[in-house]
Amino acid sequence: MKSEHRHDLQTNDLGKLMVQAEPFVEKYGAKILGGIGALIVLLIVLIIWNSQKTSAQSEAWTRLAAAGSTEDFENVAEDFAGTPVANWALIHAAESHLQSGIRSSFTDRSAGDRELKDAKEQFQKLLDSSSTPPEIRERALFGMARVEETTSNGDLKTATELYQKLINEFPESIFRQLAEQRVKPVEGEKVAALEE
């Protein structure tokens, strides 16, 4: 078969297909073009949204890294609520309140109590949230046990329960040894540290 003849046959087949498709294109062409246009617009919106989301996440992590005070951590937690960054900022704020509360308790009891109250509220918020990642929950549990121990006024039942919960929930925790020292007698001792 000569190439010219082959070309004529292909052109004829293509021509037949175009003639058959013409009524379909006339009837549905505008709808098809509208659908394609809508898909293109949706794709553009998704690209812009993803770009903004990535930018916001980057800003959140940058602000967390730059935070230097309890207030800075609380602002990051508030500004980026519902994100992983907010959880990390909140655990840092709670731990900062805890440390400040313990230090202040020796010189200004009322200031220490306020700091410990704030720490307890923030630890509790993290413990109550189902979206708190395990590594933050572990720290919040240990922090809450320390708050309860510090504010116990001699009743160490809640602190002991929290330390025990930490040991049970996180057997590989970096805080396990500290928690065990608080609730279990150390070798050679008759009672645990919290029982003394």
Side-chain angles (χ1 to χ4, degrees):
M1 203 181 273
K2 294 184 178 178
S3 67
E4 286 178 18
H5 184 62
R6 223 177 307 137
H7 180 67
D8 287 342
L9 287 175
Q10 288 175 346
T11 306
N12 287 341
D13 288 341
L14 184 59
K16 288 177 189 173
L17 183 62
M18 292 296 286
V19 169
Q20 290 173 348
E22 191 174 335
F24 178 79
V25 171
E26 284 179 12
K27 186 173 183 180
Y28 298 107
K31 291 179 182 178
I32 291 171
L33 286 177
I36 291 171
L39 285 174
I40 290 171
V41 169
L42 180 63
L43 183 62
I44 291 170
V45 168
L46 286 174
I47 290 170
I48 292 170
W49 176 77
N50 191 36
S51 172
Q52 289 175 344
K53 182 179 174 188
T54 302
S55 176
Q57 287 176 347
S58 177
E59 178 191 353
W61 287 109
T62 301
R63 283 195 40 206
L64 178 62
S69 69
T70 306
E71 185 179 353
D72 290 343
F73 289 122
E74 289 172 334
N75 288 336
V76 171
E78 184 179 318
D79 293 346
F80 299 98
T83 67
V85 174
N87 288 329
W88 283 105
L90 193 57
I91 193 68
H92 285 297
E95 290 171 342
S96 179
H97 278 300
L98 173 61
Q99 294 304 318
S100 180
I102 291 171
R103 277 192 311 274
S104 296
S105 292
F106 296 107
T107 57
D108 183 355
R109 185 66 180 179
S110 63
D113 288 345
R114 282 192 305 275
E115 292 284 344
L116 291 169
K117 179 181 176 282
D118 290 342
K120 184 175 182 174
E121 288 173 1
Q122 290 170 343
F123 285 133
Q124 192 63 56
K125 183 175 181 180
L126 289 165
L127 292 171
D128 289 344
S129 173
S130 61
S131 67
T132 300
E135 58 274 10
I136 294 176
R137 181 173 172 72
E138 173 185 355
R139 288 172 64 169
L141 201 51
F142 183 71
M144 182 64 93
R146 290 184 62 206
V147 168
E148 289 295 335
E149 180 180 350
T150 305
T151 60
S152 69
N153 292 324
D155 181 10
L156 297 165
K157 182 179 184 235
T158 304
T160 302
E161 288 171 355
L162 288 167
Y163 283 125
Q164 195 59 53
K165 186 173 183 175
L166 172 69
I167 293 166
N168 294 339
E169 280 188 33
F170 300 98
E172 302 297 319
S173 173
I174 61 170
F175 304 112
R176 181 185 176 105
Q177 185 177 5
L178 293 169
E180 285 179 341
Q181 288 173 353
R182 306 309 289 159
V183 297
K184 294 179 181 178
V186 180
E187 190 175 317
E189 298 290 325
K190 293 183 181 181
V191 294
L194 288 183
E195 293 176 4
E196 289 181 348

